Amino acid sequence: MTTSAHEGSTTLDLSRKGAWVAHAALVRSGREATEAGETQPVERRLLEKIEDDEPFDAAELSALRDALVSYLGDAPVRDRAPGRDVLRTVTAAIGRASGV
C-alpha cells in the first residue's frame, strides 16, 4: 500500500482475490443501500476506485471497511482468508490516514 500524491489519500495494493472479495462486499452493501432507498450509494464510487486502482480518502476507507465487516460475517469459505487480508490492509490504511 502506498500513499498517493493526493493529500490524505491512500492507494490500496490488493491481490486479485482480495480485490474480488472487496468487490463482492461492496456489491452486497450497495444493493442493501439501494433497497433501503439510497439513490447513489457510495459503494458505486468505491467499486470504480478498486477497478481503476485510484486512491481512497479516509471516509471511503471506512465505508469499505464497514462493507467488508458485514460481508465477512457470512462470506463463502473461499472469500474468508483473502477478505481478512483486505480488512487488515484497509484498517491499517485508516490508521495511517488518521495518524494512529
Side-chain angles (χ1 to χ4, degrees):
M1 178 176 350
T2 59
T3 300
S4 162
H6 303 286
E7 188 65 32
S9 296
T10 301
T11 302
L12 299 175
D13 184 19
L14 303 178
S15 69
R16 184 176 178 156
K17 286 182 182 181
W20 174 252
V21 173
H23 184 273
L26 289 168
V27 167
R28 180 187 287 179
S29 180
R31 183 177 55 240
E32 291 169 354
T34 300
E35 289 171 357
E38 289 186 41
T39 56
Q40 293 190 328
V42 66
E43 290 84 358
R44 180 177 175 183
R45 184 175 71 248
L46 300 181
L47 283 167
E48 292 171 356
K49 286 189 172 217
I50 287 174
E51 291 170 1
D52 296 336
D53 197 29
E54 293 181 11
F56 293 80
D57 65 27
E60 292 168 336
L61 289 168
S62 292
L64 176 55
R65 181 191 55 205
D66 293 346
L68 286 163
V69 167
S70 177
Y71 179 75
L72 289 172
D74 64 350
V77 173
R78 70 175 184 271
D79 289 353
R80 292 180 187 164
R84 286 189 302 269
D85 290 341
V86 174
L87 184 58
R88 280 190 291 273
T89 298
V90 171
T91 301
I94 291 169
R96 281 191 292 280
S98 65
V100 175

PDB file of all heavy atoms in Angstrom, residues 60-94:
ATOM      1  N   GLU A  60     -13.910   7.024   2.611  1.00  0.00           N
ATOM      2  CA  GLU A  60     -14.116   5.904   1.687  1.00  0.00           C
ATOM      3  C   GLU A  60     -13.523   4.611   2.253  1.00  0.00           C
ATOM      4  O   GLU A  60     -14.118   3.540   2.126  1.00  0.00           O
ATOM      5  CB  GLU A  60     -13.490   6.233   0.336  1.00  0.00           C
ATOM      6  CG  GLU A  60     -14.215   7.348  -0.381  1.00  0.00           C
ATOM      7  CD  GLU A  60     -13.456   7.904  -1.576  1.00  0.00           C
ATOM      8  OE1 GLU A  60     -12.208   7.785  -1.628  1.00  0.00           O
ATOM      9  OE2 GLU A  60     -14.124   8.475  -2.458  1.00  0.00           O
ATOM     10  N   LEU A  61     -12.367   4.727   2.884  1.00  0.00           N
ATOM     11  CA  LEU A  61     -11.760   3.557   3.521  1.00  0.00           C
ATOM     12  C   LEU A  61     -12.670   3.015   4.622  1.00  0.00           C
ATOM     13  O   LEU A  61     -12.836   1.795   4.760  1.00  0.00           O
ATOM     14  CB  LEU A  61     -10.386   3.902   4.091  1.00  0.00           C
ATOM     15  CG  LEU A  61      -9.276   4.138   3.077  1.00  0.00           C
ATOM     16  CD1 LEU A  61      -8.065   4.753   3.756  1.00  0.00           C
ATOM     17  CD2 LEU A  61      -8.906   2.839   2.362  1.00  0.00           C
ATOM     18  N   SER A  62     -13.272   3.903   5.384  1.00  0.00           N
ATOM     19  CA  SER A  62     -14.192   3.482   6.446  1.00  0.00           C
ATOM     20  C   SER A  62     -15.418   2.777   5.873  1.00  0.00           C
ATOM     21  O   SER A  62     -15.875   1.765   6.418  1.00  0.00           O
ATOM     22  CB  SER A  62     -14.626   4.674   7.291  1.00  0.00           C
ATOM     23  OG  SER A  62     -13.542   5.165   8.029  1.00  0.00           O
ATOM     24  N   ALA A  63     -15.948   3.292   4.772  1.00  0.00           N
ATOM     25  CA  ALA A  63     -17.097   2.659   4.127  1.00  0.00           C
ATOM     26  C   ALA A  63     -16.720   1.280   3.588  1.00  0.00           C
ATOM     27  O   ALA A  63     -17.501   0.322   3.705  1.00  0.00           O
ATOM     28  CB  ALA A  63     -17.632   3.543   3.004  1.00  0.00           C
ATOM     29  N   LEU A  64     -15.527   1.156   3.028  1.00  0.00           N
ATOM     30  CA  LEU A  64     -15.051  -0.136   2.540  1.00  0.00           C
ATOM     31  C   LEU A  64     -14.882  -1.107   3.706  1.00  0.00           C
ATOM     32  O   LEU A  64     -15.284  -2.269   3.620  1.00  0.00           O
ATOM     33  CB  LEU A  64     -13.744   0.036   1.766  1.00  0.00           C
ATOM     34  CG  LEU A  64     -13.070  -1.244   1.263  1.00  0.00           C
ATOM     35  CD1 LEU A  64     -14.011  -2.089   0.421  1.00  0.00           C
ATOM     36  CD2 LEU A  64     -11.805  -0.880   0.482  1.00  0.00           C
ATOM     37  N   ARG A  65     -14.303  -0.635   4.804  1.00  0.00           N
ATOM     38  CA  ARG A  65     -14.134  -1.491   5.988  1.00  0.00           C
ATOM     39  C   ARG A  65     -15.494  -1.983   6.474  1.00  0.00           C
ATOM     40  O   ARG A  65     -15.664  -3.175   6.762  1.00  0.00           O
ATOM     41  CB  ARG A  65     -13.434  -0.733   7.103  1.00  0.00           C
ATOM     42  CG  ARG A  65     -13.228  -1.607   8.356  1.00  0.00           C
ATOM     43  CD  ARG A  65     -12.790  -0.830   9.546  1.00  0.00           C
ATOM     44  NE  ARG A  65     -13.738   0.255   9.790  1.00  0.00           N
ATOM     45  CZ  ARG A  65     -13.451   1.370  10.413  1.00  0.00           C
ATOM     46  NH1 ARG A  65     -12.231   1.603  10.843  1.00  0.00           N
ATOM     47  NH2 ARG A  65     -14.362   2.294  10.599  1.00  0.00           N
ATOM     48  N   ASP A  66     -16.476  -1.100   6.554  1.00  0.00           N
ATOM     49  CA  ASP A  66     -17.809  -1.491   7.020  1.00  0.00           C
ATOM     50  C   ASP A  66     -18.422  -2.545   6.103  1.00  0.00           C
ATOM     51  O   ASP A  66     -19.038  -3.512   6.575  1.00  0.00           O
ATOM     52  CB  ASP A  66     -18.733  -0.281   7.110  1.00  0.00           C
ATOM     53  CG  ASP A  66     -18.319   0.706   8.197  1.00  0.00           C
ATOM     54  OD1 ASP A  66     -17.470   0.341   9.059  1.00  0.00           O
ATOM     55  OD2 ASP A  66     -18.828   1.842   8.172  1.00  0.00           O
ATOM     56  N   ALA A  67     -18.261  -2.376   4.796  1.00  0.00           N
ATOM     57  CA  ALA A  67     -18.797  -3.352   3.836  1.00  0.00           C
ATOM     58  C   ALA A  67     -18.106  -4.703   4.012  1.00  0.00           C
ATOM     59  O   ALA A  67     -18.762  -5.756   3.966  1.00  0.00           O
ATOM     60  CB  ALA A  67     -18.622  -2.836   2.408  1.00  0.00           C
ATOM     61  N   LEU A  68     -16.794  -4.685   4.220  1.00  0.00           N
ATOM     62  CA  LEU A  68     -16.057  -5.935   4.417  1.00  0.00           C
ATOM     63  C   LEU A  68     -16.479  -6.647   5.697  1.00  0.00           C
ATOM     64  O   LEU A  68     -16.683  -7.868   5.696  1.00  0.00           O
ATOM     65  CB  LEU A  68     -14.553  -5.664   4.447  1.00  0.00           C
ATOM     66  CG  LEU A  68     -13.907  -5.349   3.109  1.00  0.00           C
ATOM     67  CD1 LEU A  68     -12.542  -4.710   3.315  1.00  0.00           C
ATOM     68  CD2 LEU A  68     -13.800  -6.621   2.265  1.00  0.00           C
ATOM     69  N   VAL A  69     -16.611  -5.900   6.784  1.00  0.00           N
ATOM     70  CA  VAL A  69     -17.013  -6.498   8.067  1.00  0.00           C
ATOM     71  C   VAL A  69     -18.374  -7.170   7.914  1.00  0.00           C
ATOM     72  O   VAL A  69     -18.575  -8.308   8.341  1.00  0.00           O
ATOM     73  CB  VAL A  69     -17.026  -5.442   9.190  1.00  0.00           C
ATOM     74  CG1 VAL A  69     -17.727  -5.961  10.433  1.00  0.00           C
ATOM     75  CG2 VAL A  69     -15.603  -5.009   9.514  1.00  0.00           C
ATOM     76  N   SER A  70     -19.306  -6.485   7.280  1.00  0.00           N
ATOM     77  CA  SER A  70     -20.636  -7.043   7.081  1.00  0.00           C
ATOM     78  C   SER A  70     -20.579  -8.286   6.199  1.00  0.00           C
ATOM     79  O   SER A  70     -21.193  -9.311   6.505  1.00  0.00           O
ATOM     80  CB  SER A  70     -21.542  -5.982   6.451  1.00  0.00           C
ATOM     81  OG  SER A  70     -22.809  -6.527   6.186  1.00  0.00           O
ATOM     82  N   TYR A  71     -19.823  -8.211   5.119  1.00  0.00           N
ATOM     83  CA  TYR A  71     -19.729  -9.322   4.173  1.00  0.00           C
ATOM     84  C   TYR A  71     -19.076 -10.546   4.808  1.00  0.00           C
ATOM     85  O   TYR A  71     -19.536 -11.675   4.618  1.00  0.00           O
ATOM     86  CB  TYR A  71     -18.934  -8.882   2.944  1.00  0.00           C
ATOM     87  CG  TYR A  71     -18.761  -9.965   1.915  1.00  0.00           C
ATOM     88  CD1 TYR A  71     -19.819 -10.350   1.100  1.00  0.00           C
ATOM     89  CD2 TYR A  71     -17.541 -10.606   1.748  1.00  0.00           C
ATOM     90  CE1 TYR A  71     -19.671 -11.343   0.159  1.00  0.00           C
ATOM     91  CE2 TYR A  71     -17.378 -11.601   0.804  1.00  0.00           C
ATOM     92  CZ  TYR A  71     -18.449 -11.963   0.005  1.00  0.00           C
ATOM     93  OH  TYR A  71     -18.294 -12.958  -0.932  1.00  0.00           O
ATOM     94  N   LEU A  72     -18.007 -10.332   5.556  1.00  0.00           N
ATOM     95  CA  LEU A  72     -17.260 -11.462   6.108  1.00  0.00           C
ATOM     96  C   LEU A  72     -18.032 -12.221   7.180  1.00  0.00           C
ATOM     97  O   LEU A  72     -17.678 -13.357   7.499  1.00  0.00           O
ATOM     98  CB  LEU A  72     -15.909 -10.994   6.643  1.00  0.00           C
ATOM     99  CG  LEU A  72     -14.915 -10.590   5.556  1.00  0.00           C
ATOM    100  CD1 LEU A  72     -13.676  -9.955   6.172  1.00  0.00           C
ATOM    101  CD2 LEU A  72     -14.551 -11.778   4.682  1.00  0.00           C
ATOM    102  N   GLY A  73     -19.088 -11.640   7.696  1.00  0.00           N
ATOM    103  CA  GLY A  73     -19.905 -12.327   8.687  1.00  0.00           C
ATOM    104  C   GLY A  73     -20.500 -13.627   8.185  1.00  0.00           C
ATOM    105  O   GLY A  73     -20.678 -14.571   8.955  1.00  0.00           O
ATOM    106  N   ASP A  74     -20.797 -13.697   6.904  1.00  0.00           N
ATOM    107  CA  ASP A  74     -21.338 -14.931   6.325  1.00  0.00           C
ATOM    108  C   ASP A  74     -20.812 -15.172   4.906  1.00  0.00           C
ATOM    109  O   ASP A  74     -21.490 -15.718   4.059  1.00  0.00           O
ATOM    110  CB  ASP A  74     -22.859 -14.924   6.360  1.00  0.00           C
ATOM    111  CG  ASP A  74     -23.474 -13.829   5.498  1.00  0.00           C
ATOM    112  OD1 ASP A  74     -22.744 -12.949   5.019  1.00  0.00           O
ATOM    113  OD2 ASP A  74     -24.704 -13.867   5.295  1.00  0.00           O
ATOM    114  N   ALA A  75     -19.579 -14.774   4.685  1.00  0.00           N
ATOM    115  CA  ALA A  75     -18.955 -14.936   3.367  1.00  0.00           C
ATOM    116  C   ALA A  75     -18.711 -16.410   3.059  1.00  0.00           C
ATOM    117  O   ALA A  75     -18.529 -17.218   3.973  1.00  0.00           O
ATOM    118  CB  ALA A  75     -17.625 -14.188   3.325  1.00  0.00           C
ATOM    119  N   PRO A  76     -18.671 -16.743   1.771  1.00  0.00           N
ATOM    120  CA  PRO A  76     -18.282 -18.101   1.402  1.00  0.00           C
ATOM    121  C   PRO A  76     -16.868 -18.396   1.927  1.00  0.00           C
ATOM    122  O   PRO A  76     -16.046 -17.484   2.055  1.00  0.00           O
ATOM    123  CB  PRO A  76     -18.278 -18.079  -0.136  1.00  0.00           C
ATOM    124  CG  PRO A  76     -19.110 -16.898  -0.508  1.00  0.00           C
ATOM    125  CD  PRO A  76     -18.980 -15.912   0.608  1.00  0.00           C
ATOM    126  N   VAL A  77     -16.602 -19.642   2.228  1.00  0.00           N
ATOM    127  CA  VAL A  77     -15.312 -20.047   2.788  1.00  0.00           C
ATOM    128  C   VAL A  77     -14.160 -19.545   1.928  1.00  0.00           C
ATOM    129  O   VAL A  77     -13.147 -19.056   2.448  1.00  0.00           O
ATOM    130  CB  VAL A  77     -15.254 -21.583   2.964  1.00  0.00           C
ATOM    131  CG1 VAL A  77     -13.870 -22.036   3.380  1.00  0.00           C
ATOM    132  CG2 VAL A  77     -16.288 -22.039   3.986  1.00  0.00           C
ATOM    133  N   ARG A  78     -14.293 -19.594   0.609  1.00  0.00           N
ATOM    134  CA  ARG A  78     -13.201 -19.189  -0.289  1.00  0.00           C
ATOM    135  C   ARG A  78     -12.834 -17.708  -0.146  1.00  0.00           C
ATOM    136  O   ARG A  78     -11.731 -17.298  -0.470  1.00  0.00           O
ATOM    137  CB  ARG A  78     -13.562 -19.481  -1.739  1.00  0.00           C
ATOM    138  CG  ARG A  78     -14.651 -18.569  -2.259  1.00  0.00           C
ATOM    139  CD  ARG A  78     -14.964 -18.753  -3.739  1.00  0.00           C
ATOM    140  NE  ARG A  78     -15.939 -17.781  -4.128  1.00  0.00           N
ATOM    141  CZ  ARG A  78     -17.256 -17.955  -4.065  1.00  0.00           C
ATOM    142  NH1 ARG A  78     -17.755 -19.093  -3.644  1.00  0.00           N
ATOM    143  NH2 ARG A  78     -18.069 -16.990  -4.435  1.00  0.00           N
ATOM    144  N   ASP A  79     -13.777 -16.905   0.352  1.00  0.00           N
ATOM    145  CA  ASP A  79     -13.560 -15.463   0.474  1.00  0.00           C
ATOM    146  C   ASP A  79     -13.033 -15.028   1.840  1.00  0.00           C
ATOM    147  O   ASP A  79     -12.601 -13.889   1.996  1.00  0.00           O
ATOM    148  CB  ASP A  79     -14.866 -14.701   0.203  1.00  0.00           C
ATOM    149  CG  ASP A  79     -15.272 -14.742  -1.251  1.00  0.00           C
ATOM    150  OD1 ASP A  79     -14.497 -15.243  -2.087  1.00  0.00           O
ATOM    151  OD2 ASP A  79     -16.380 -14.264  -1.561  1.00  0.00           O
ATOM    152  N   ARG A  80     -13.052 -15.914   2.807  1.00  0.00           N
ATOM    153  CA  ARG A  80     -12.733 -15.504   4.177  1.00  0.00           C
ATOM    154  C   ARG A  80     -11.277 -15.099   4.373  1.00  0.00           C
ATOM    155  O   ARG A  80     -11.005 -14.026   4.928  1.00  0.00           O
ATOM    156  CB  ARG A  80     -13.136 -16.585   5.162  1.00  0.00           C
ATOM    157  CG  ARG A  80     -14.659 -16.728   5.217  1.00  0.00           C
ATOM    158  CD  ARG A  80     -15.095 -17.790   6.167  1.00  0.00           C
ATOM    159  NE  ARG A  80     -16.546 -17.986   6.033  1.00  0.00           N
ATOM    160  CZ  ARG A  80     -17.187 -19.025   6.489  1.00  0.00           C
ATOM    161  NH1 ARG A  80     -16.530 -19.976   7.142  1.00  0.00           N
ATOM    162  NH2 ARG A  80     -18.479 -19.119   6.312  1.00  0.00           N
ATOM    163  N   ALA A  81     -10.325 -15.912   3.953  1.00  0.00           N
ATOM    164  CA  ALA A  81      -8.905 -15.571   4.162  1.00  0.00           C
ATOM    165  C   ALA A  81      -8.512 -14.325   3.372  1.00  0.00           C
ATOM    166  O   ALA A  81      -7.946 -13.385   3.951  1.00  0.00           O
ATOM    167  CB  ALA A  81      -8.002 -16.751   3.822  1.00  0.00           C
ATOM    168  N   PRO A  82      -8.806 -14.258   2.064  1.00  0.00           N
ATOM    169  CA  PRO A  82      -8.441 -13.022   1.363  1.00  0.00           C
ATOM    170  C   PRO A  82      -9.216 -11.815   1.877  1.00  0.00           C
ATOM    171  O   PRO A  82      -8.699 -10.696   1.903  1.00  0.00           O
ATOM    172  CB  PRO A  82      -8.756 -13.307  -0.110  1.00  0.00           C
ATOM    173  CG  PRO A  82      -9.574 -14.531  -0.142  1.00  0.00           C
ATOM    174  CD  PRO A  82      -9.352 -15.261   1.145  1.00  0.00           C
ATOM    175  N   GLY A  83     -10.441 -12.034   2.353  1.00  0.00           N
ATOM    176  CA  GLY A  83     -11.235 -10.940   2.910  1.00  0.00           C
ATOM    177  C   GLY A  83     -10.624 -10.396   4.192  1.00  0.00           C
ATOM    178  O   GLY A  83     -10.583  -9.186   4.413  1.00  0.00           O
ATOM    179  N   ARG A  84     -10.120 -11.287   5.042  1.00  0.00           N
ATOM    180  CA  ARG A  84      -9.450 -10.834   6.268  1.00  0.00           C
ATOM    181  C   ARG A  84      -8.177 -10.058   5.928  1.00  0.00           C
ATOM    182  O   ARG A  84      -7.854  -9.071   6.586  1.00  0.00           O
ATOM    183  CB  ARG A  84      -9.139 -12.024   7.186  1.00  0.00           C
ATOM    184  CG  ARG A  84     -10.379 -12.574   7.869  1.00  0.00           C
ATOM    185  CD  ARG A  84     -10.037 -13.597   8.937  1.00  0.00           C
ATOM    186  NE  ARG A  84      -9.280 -14.740   8.429  1.00  0.00           N
ATOM    187  CZ  ARG A  84      -9.812 -15.871   7.985  1.00  0.00           C
ATOM    188  NH1 ARG A  84     -11.126 -16.027   7.980  1.00  0.00           N
ATOM    189  NH2 ARG A  84      -9.045 -16.847   7.556  1.00  0.00           N
ATOM    190  N   ASP A  85      -7.462 -10.504   4.882  1.00  0.00           N
ATOM    191  CA  ASP A  85      -6.264  -9.770   4.452  1.00  0.00           C
ATOM    192  C   ASP A  85      -6.622  -8.358   4.002  1.00  0.00           C
ATOM    193  O   ASP A  85      -5.948  -7.392   4.357  1.00  0.00           O
ATOM    194  CB  ASP A  85      -5.550 -10.508   3.314  1.00  0.00           C
ATOM    195  CG  ASP A  85      -4.877 -11.790   3.762  1.00  0.00           C
ATOM    196  OD1 ASP A  85      -4.638 -11.965   4.987  1.00  0.00           O
ATOM    197  OD2 ASP A  85      -4.596 -12.633   2.886  1.00  0.00           O
ATOM    198  N   VAL A  86      -7.685  -8.236   3.217  1.00  0.00           N
ATOM    199  CA  VAL A  86      -8.121  -6.916   2.752  1.00  0.00           C
ATOM    200  C   VAL A  86      -8.567  -6.065   3.937  1.00  0.00           C
ATOM    201  O   VAL A  86      -8.223  -4.882   4.021  1.00  0.00           O
ATOM    202  CB  VAL A  86      -9.260  -7.029   1.714  1.00  0.00           C
ATOM    203  CG1 VAL A  86      -9.809  -5.652   1.351  1.00  0.00           C
ATOM    204  CG2 VAL A  86      -8.792  -7.752   0.474  1.00  0.00           C
ATOM    205  N   LEU A  87      -9.288  -6.667   4.864  1.00  0.00           N
ATOM    206  CA  LEU A  87      -9.741  -5.931   6.040  1.00  0.00           C
ATOM    207  C   LEU A  87      -8.552  -5.403   6.845  1.00  0.00           C
ATOM    208  O   LEU A  87      -8.555  -4.245   7.269  1.00  0.00           O
ATOM    209  CB  LEU A  87     -10.623  -6.829   6.909  1.00  0.00           C
ATOM    210  CG  LEU A  87     -11.262  -6.179   8.131  1.00  0.00           C
ATOM    211  CD1 LEU A  87     -12.119  -4.978   7.740  1.00  0.00           C
ATOM    212  CD2 LEU A  87     -12.103  -7.210   8.875  1.00  0.00           C
ATOM    213  N   ARG A  88      -7.503  -6.207   7.003  1.00  0.00           N
ATOM    214  CA  ARG A  88      -6.299  -5.737   7.702  1.00  0.00           C
ATOM    215  C   ARG A  88      -5.643  -4.593   6.930  1.00  0.00           C
ATOM    216  O   ARG A  88      -5.206  -3.604   7.524  1.00  0.00           O
ATOM    217  CB  ARG A  88      -5.302  -6.886   7.894  1.00  0.00           C
ATOM    218  CG  ARG A  88      -5.640  -7.789   9.065  1.00  0.00           C
ATOM    219  CD  ARG A  88      -4.507  -8.751   9.366  1.00  0.00           C
ATOM    220  NE  ARG A  88      -4.329  -9.757   8.329  1.00  0.00           N
ATOM    221  CZ  ARG A  88      -4.976 -10.916   8.285  1.00  0.00           C
ATOM    222  NH1 ARG A  88      -5.837 -11.237   9.223  1.00  0.00           N
ATOM    223  NH2 ARG A  88      -4.733 -11.771   7.309  1.00  0.00           N
ATOM    224  N   THR A  89      -5.568  -4.716   5.621  1.00  0.00           N
ATOM    225  CA  THR A  89      -4.978  -3.676   4.781  1.00  0.00           C
ATOM    226  C   THR A  89      -5.752  -2.366   4.914  1.00  0.00           C
ATOM    227  O   THR A  89      -5.167  -1.298   5.087  1.00  0.00           O
ATOM    228  CB  THR A  89      -4.940  -4.128   3.306  1.00  0.00           C
ATOM    229  OG1 THR A  89      -4.116  -5.291   3.198  1.00  0.00           O
ATOM    230  CG2 THR A  89      -4.416  -3.042   2.388  1.00  0.00           C
ATOM    231  N   VAL A  90      -7.062  -2.454   4.841  1.00  0.00           N
ATOM    232  CA  VAL A  90      -7.905  -1.262   4.927  1.00  0.00           C
ATOM    233  C   VAL A  90      -7.830  -0.656   6.326  1.00  0.00           C
ATOM    234  O   VAL A  90      -7.696   0.579   6.472  1.00  0.00           O
ATOM    235  CB  VAL A  90      -9.368  -1.597   4.546  1.00  0.00           C
ATOM    236  CG1 VAL A  90     -10.302  -0.437   4.849  1.00  0.00           C
ATOM    237  CG2 VAL A  90      -9.448  -1.987   3.067  1.00  0.00           C
ATOM    238  N   THR A  91      -7.854  -1.478   7.352  1.00  0.00           N
ATOM    239  CA  THR A  91      -7.757  -0.970   8.728  1.00  0.00           C
ATOM    240  C   THR A  91      -6.431  -0.281   8.969  1.00  0.00           C
ATOM    241  O   THR A  91      -6.379   0.793   9.589  1.00  0.00           O
ATOM    242  CB  THR A  91      -7.975  -2.134   9.731  1.00  0.00           C
ATOM    243  OG1 THR A  91      -9.268  -2.693   9.492  1.00  0.00           O
ATOM    244  CG2 THR A  91      -7.887  -1.650  11.164  1.00  0.00           C
ATOM    245  N   ALA A  92      -5.343  -0.841   8.444  1.00  0.00           N
ATOM    246  CA  ALA A  92      -4.033  -0.204   8.581  1.00  0.00           C
ATOM    247  C   ALA A  92      -4.002   1.129   7.843  1.00  0.00           C
ATOM    248  O   ALA A  92      -3.443   2.114   8.331  1.00  0.00           O
ATOM    249  CB  ALA A  92      -2.940  -1.127   8.054  1.00  0.00           C
ATOM    250  N   ALA A  93      -4.625   1.191   6.671  1.00  0.00           N
ATOM    251  CA  ALA A  93      -4.675   2.431   5.898  1.00  0.00           C
ATOM    252  C   ALA A  93      -5.464   3.502   6.642  1.00  0.00           C
ATOM    253  O   ALA A  93      -5.085   4.674   6.652  1.00  0.00           O
ATOM    254  CB  ALA A  93      -5.283   2.182   4.523  1.00  0.00           C
ATOM    255  N   ILE A  94      -6.537   3.101   7.308  1.00  0.00           N
ATOM    256  CA  ILE A  94      -7.328   4.047   8.095  1.00  0.00           C
ATOM    257  C   ILE A  94      -6.476   4.580   9.240  1.00  0.00           C
ATOM    258  O   ILE A  94      -6.494   5.775   9.523  1.00  0.00           O
ATOM    259  CB  ILE A  94      -8.626   3.387   8.614  1.00  0.00           C
ATOM    260  CG1 ILE A  94      -9.577   3.113   7.456  1.00  0.00           C
ATOM    261  CG2 ILE A  94      -9.295   4.275   9.668  1.00  0.00           C
ATOM    262  CD1 ILE A  94     -10.754   2.232   7.811  1.00  0.00           C
TER     263      ILE A  94
END
